[in-house]
Amino acid sequence: MLIDRNEKLVHSLWDVHHKMRLLHDGKSSQSRILIVLREHGSMTQRELTDHLHVRPGSASEILTKMEQSGLITRTPNQSDQRTMDIFLTEKGNSLALEAREQRKALYDKIFVCLTPEEQDTLFSLLEKLLADWETRFEISGERHRNNKSEE
């Protein structure tokens, strides 16, 4: 069966997405949560799940493990007692710094096969695709820009 150019592009994007997820986080989201909390300070569980694009049940399970490990604390929100604010502990903050450094080292390795010019071209093409899809397909959502982590 012949695959046309557009199908090849879609399959390649899916493959890149899959590989990036494996390289970026492995099977654990703890490092993502630690980094996000370090960069944003306290967040509600809802804000965190929205930011990370994960299901609340999945996040709750991970957060419980992180709390039991002494990486975070959860306290009732002052304005809405039904909502929990999540804070990094000193141990969590230390691990967040380590996770951020590991991520930076990975980012430094990921694109070494591309010249700086090729990296710029790839970035421009991806930005063009994202802008078009957001407009044409009315897709909204947070985008990671200006070297911000997510996550």
Side-chain angles (χ1 to χ4, degrees):
M1 177 172 132
L2 275 175
I3 297 178
D4 74 9
R5 180 181 308 138
N6 290 333
E7 283 183 89
K8 287 180 183 178
L9 287 168
V10 168
H11 288 280
S12 290
L13 287 172
W14 275 112
D15 289 344
V16 167
H17 168 74
H18 179 71
K19 300 275 189 282
M20 286 291 296
R21 294 293 298 187
L22 290 173
L23 284 171
H24 200 262
D25 300 312
K27 296 187 180 200
S28 170
S29 297
Q30 284 192 15
S31 64
R32 289 175 65 203
I33 292 170
L34 290 169
I35 291 168
V36 167
L37 289 172
R38 172 105 170 80
E39 292 176 354
H40 293 270
S42 71
M43 296 177 88
T44 66
Q45 189 164 327
R46 170 95 189 228
E47 290 169 338
L48 186 62
T49 58
D50 288 347
H51 184 82
L52 297 174
H53 307 289
V54 296
R55 292 185 305 272
S58 300
S60 183
E61 185 178 333
I62 293 167
L63 291 171
T64 297
K65 289 177 183 176
M66 292 176 73
E67 189 172 31
Q68 291 169 348
S69 298
L71 303 176
I72 62 164
T73 58
R74 291 190 270 192
T75 59
N77 183 281
Q78 290 183 342
S79 58
D80 183 356
Q81 295 293 307
R82 298 169 298 169
T83 303
M84 300 297 274
D85 287 328
I86 304 166
F87 298 89
L88 284 178
T89 62
E90 191 172 314
K91 180 179 176 182
N93 189 58
S94 176
L95 285 178
L97 289 171
E98 286 178 31
R100 185 69 184 115
E101 286 303 312
Q102 289 171 353
R103 182 177 284 179
K104 169 83 171 84
L106 174 65
Y107 288 177
D108 289 344
K109 293 177 189 175
I110 266 179
F111 298 106
V112 296
C113 65
L114 301 176
T115 67
E117 294 79 20
E118 289 170 329
Q119 291 176 23
D120 291 341
T121 299
L122 177 60
F123 181 76
S124 295
L125 291 170
L126 292 172
E127 286 291 300
K128 183 176 181 177
L129 271 177
L130 288 169
D132 175 63
W133 293 352
E134 288 170 351
T135 303
R136 196 157 33 98
F137 299 115
E138 298 180 11
I139 300 171
S140 62
E142 184 174 330
R143 287 176 59 189
H144 306 286
R145 294 178 169 238
N146 301 325
N147 299 323
K148 288 183 185 174
S149 81
E150 68 205 56
E151 263 60 305

